[in-house]
């Protein structure tokens, strides 16, 4: 692979950067992949975008909680042995355990109380899988020279660049939706490399559960976290929506590279 | 409305909008952190808040479902760049 940037028509010393969007629905969510490059019609960009969506579909095949034929659902009903599963199942399980520990249980993949009660709590790692899947899929774009990209899954997103663009890639201005007035912005954050995750109830009604009580968190507002990795940005955003003060305190100690904004 | 969100950035929220932010501390522990922080320190000030939404590149918000997508801010941005 050439290390030189893609040939650019130089105009007043600055190449004109184009922009192209790729959109599809995977995991029941709208996926938006945006690319900035001097030539956004390059076939290698479109091929990498295909790989992004293929990666997301593969992960959905493994981890979907809504499809009875996903590997995880087959595992849960005993139709597949744990030893025959894709190694990613173990990777996600370890992240789920780590997320519960690092958030002191503000985030959990075990609804119904894994620790406090006996019996079988339902393992649902969706809150880990989403961020992890976007990071995994984004790897397909990081090898493409001469681009900056932003990959969003339903409002949680990763910004990145091709390797040759580090230090000179265009930034993405990420608007943070105002939970009090859907369709408007409460603020924005400029990102070149990194992740932005928002947790709240605005878009699909209350769905976040406080693991400490089992109650649905139904307060208005949202929590947004900006940081290096979407898995942890998403985990902390969920934890901060459940308990902004406690999550903020824990983040200062345990995840100082992540920034929190609570609306 | 509330006013807060302090971890590395102190943020003032009035009427559901971020009106002021202040970077409290930026970690510089390893090269990847440096790289990210060089760019990813949030810019959340009055100037940006009052800016036209046309400057927004992408949207972060509570999870948008495929059913809700068509009316979403992200959908409007996508439409402008599909080719």
């Amino acid at each position: 692979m050439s290390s030189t940037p893609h040939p650019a028509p130089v105009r007043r010393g600055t190449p004109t950067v184009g922009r192209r969007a790729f959109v599809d629905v995977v995991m029941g969510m709208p996926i938006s992949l945006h690319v900035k490059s001097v030539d956004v019609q390059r076939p290698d960009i479109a091929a990498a975008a295909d790989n992004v969506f293929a990666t997301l579909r593969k992960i959905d095949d493994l981890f979907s909680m809504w499809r009875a034929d996903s590997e995880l659902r087959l595992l849960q009903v005993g139709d597949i042995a744990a030893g025959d599963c894709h190694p990613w199942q173990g990777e996600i399980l370890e992240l789920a355990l780590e997320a519960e520990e690092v958030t002191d249980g503000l985030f959990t993949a075990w609804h119904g109380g894994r620790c406090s009660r006996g019996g079988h709590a339902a393992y649902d790692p969706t809150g880990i899988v989403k961020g992890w899947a976007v990071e995994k899929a984004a790897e397909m774009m990081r090898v493409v020279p001469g681009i900056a990209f932003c990959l969003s899954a339903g409002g949680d997103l990763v910004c990145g660049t091709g390797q040759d663009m580090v230090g000179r890639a265009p930034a993405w201005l990420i608007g943070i939706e105002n939970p009090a007035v859907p369709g408007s912005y409460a603020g924005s954050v400029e990102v070149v490399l990194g992740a932005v995750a928002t947790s709240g109830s605005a878009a699909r009604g209350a769905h976040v559960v406080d693991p400490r009580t089992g109650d649905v968190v139904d307060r208005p507002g949202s929590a947004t976290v900006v940081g290096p990795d979407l898995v942890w940005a998403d985990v902390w955003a969920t934890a901060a929506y459940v308990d902004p003060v406690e999550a903020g305190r824990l983040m200062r100690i345990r995840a100082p590279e992540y920034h929190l904004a609570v609306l | 409305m509330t006013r807060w969100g302090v971890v590395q950035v102190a943020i003032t929220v009035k009427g559901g909008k971020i009106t002021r932010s202040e970077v409290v501390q930026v970690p510089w522990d390893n090269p990847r952190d440096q790289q990210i922080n060089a760019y990813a320190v949030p810019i959340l000030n009055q100037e940006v808040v009052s800016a036209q939404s046309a400057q927004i590149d992408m949207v972060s918000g509570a999870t948008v479902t495929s059913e809700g997508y068509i009316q979403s801010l992200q959908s409007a941005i996508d439409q402008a760049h599909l080719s």
Side-chain angles (χ1 to χ4, degrees):
Chain A
M1 194 178 297
S2 168
S3 63
T4 53
H6 205 74
V10 176
R11 201 173 295 165
R12 290 180 188 175
T14 309
T16 304
V17 176
R19 171 130 174 222
R20 184 174 179 188
F22 303 84
V23 178
D24 205 342
V25 175
V26 188
M27 306 188 284
M29 282 181 299
I31 310 292
S32 300
L33 169 64
H34 285 235
V35 177
K36 292 179 183 179
S37 179
V38 171
D39 177 9
V40 289
Q41 299 302 326
R42 277 164 41 199
D44 62 325
I45 293 174
D50 286 346
N51 288 338
V52 165
F53 291 104
T55 301
L56 294 173
R57 286 196 191 86
K58 177 181 177 182
I59 294 169
D60 193 44
D61 288 344
L62 292 172
F63 292 100
S64 174
M65 297 302 293
W66 292 274
R67 290 171 40 194
D69 64 341
S70 74
E71 187 182 79
L72 179 55
R73 289 282 302 277
L74 294 175
L75 177 66
Q76 290 185 328
V77 298
D79 283 357
I80 295 181
D84 296 332
C85 281
H86 195 286
W88 286 349
Q89 296 286 358
E91 200 173 318
I92 291 293
L93 177 61
E94 283 185 23
L95 285 170
L97 289 164
E98 191 181 343
E100 185 175 280
E101 188 173 315
V102 77
T103 62
D104 280 1
L106 288 175
F107 176 97
T108 186
W110 286 269
H111 296 285
R114 182 173 69 95
C115 304
S116 56
R117 301 170 206 172
H120 301 281
Y123 172 59
D124 178 355
T126 304
I128 296 286
V129 169
K130 182 181 176 185
W132 186 87
V134 173
E135 289 284 354
K136 207 82 177 169
E139 292 303 317
M140 303 298 154
M141 304 306 294
R142 295 190 200 280
V143 296
V144 181
I147 67 160
F149 67 87
C150 183
L151 176 60
S152 171
D156 297 323
L157 55 88
V158 168
C159 299
T161 72
Q163 287 178 348
D164 61 332
M165 295 293 280
V166 172
R168 60 188 184 88
W172 298 88
L173 187 62
I174 310 300
I176 299 169
E177 191 163 17
N178 185 347
V181 188
S184 72
Y185 297 104
S188 59
V189 53
E190 201 172 295
V191 181
V192 172
L193 295 171
V196 184
T198 299
S199 183
S201 62
R204 58 175 178 185
H207 67 283
V208 176
V209 172
D210 186 336
R212 299 168 299 186
T213 62
D215 296 335
V216 169
V217 180
D218 60 358
R219 72 172 179 84
S222 61
T224 296
V225 173
V226 181
D229 186 298
L230 188 57
V231 171
W232 298 108
D234 210 358
V235 163
W236 284 114
T238 302
Y241 180 63
V242 169
D243 187 336
V245 175
E246 179 61 8
R249 187 186 71 81
L250 292 171
M251 285 177 72
R252 268 191 293 276
I253 302 164
R254 298 176 183 174
E257 68 275 37
Y258 288 79
H259 310 284
L260 169 65
V262 176
L263 296 174
Chain B
M1 299 297 290
T2 38
R3 62 294 76 178
W4 94 249
V6 183
V7 163
Q8 296 292 305
V9 184
I11 290 165
T12 305
V13 179
K14 285 180 184 161
K17 289 202 167 192
I18 296 169
T19 55
R20 191 176 65 86
S21 75
E22 180 186 351
V23 177
V24 178
Q25 186 192 347
V26 177
W28 296 93
D29 296 328
N30 63 53
R32 187 158 187 234
D33 278 354
Q34 282 184 27
Q35 203 170 64
I36 289 159
N37 281 305
Y39 300 109
V41 171
I43 299 170
L44 302 163
N45 55 33
Q46 184 64 59
E47 193 180 345
V48 173
V49 170
S50 62
Q52 292 303 306
S53 59
Q55 295 175 340
I56 299 288
D57 279 316
M58 297 286 281
V59 183
S60 185
T63 303
V64 173
T65 60
S66 48
E67 293 79 18
Y69 169 73
I70 197 73
Q71 298 144 357
S72 70
L73 289 164
Q74 184 67 56
S75 171
I77 295 171
D78 290 348
Q79 295 307 315
H81 297 285
L82 287 170
S83 53

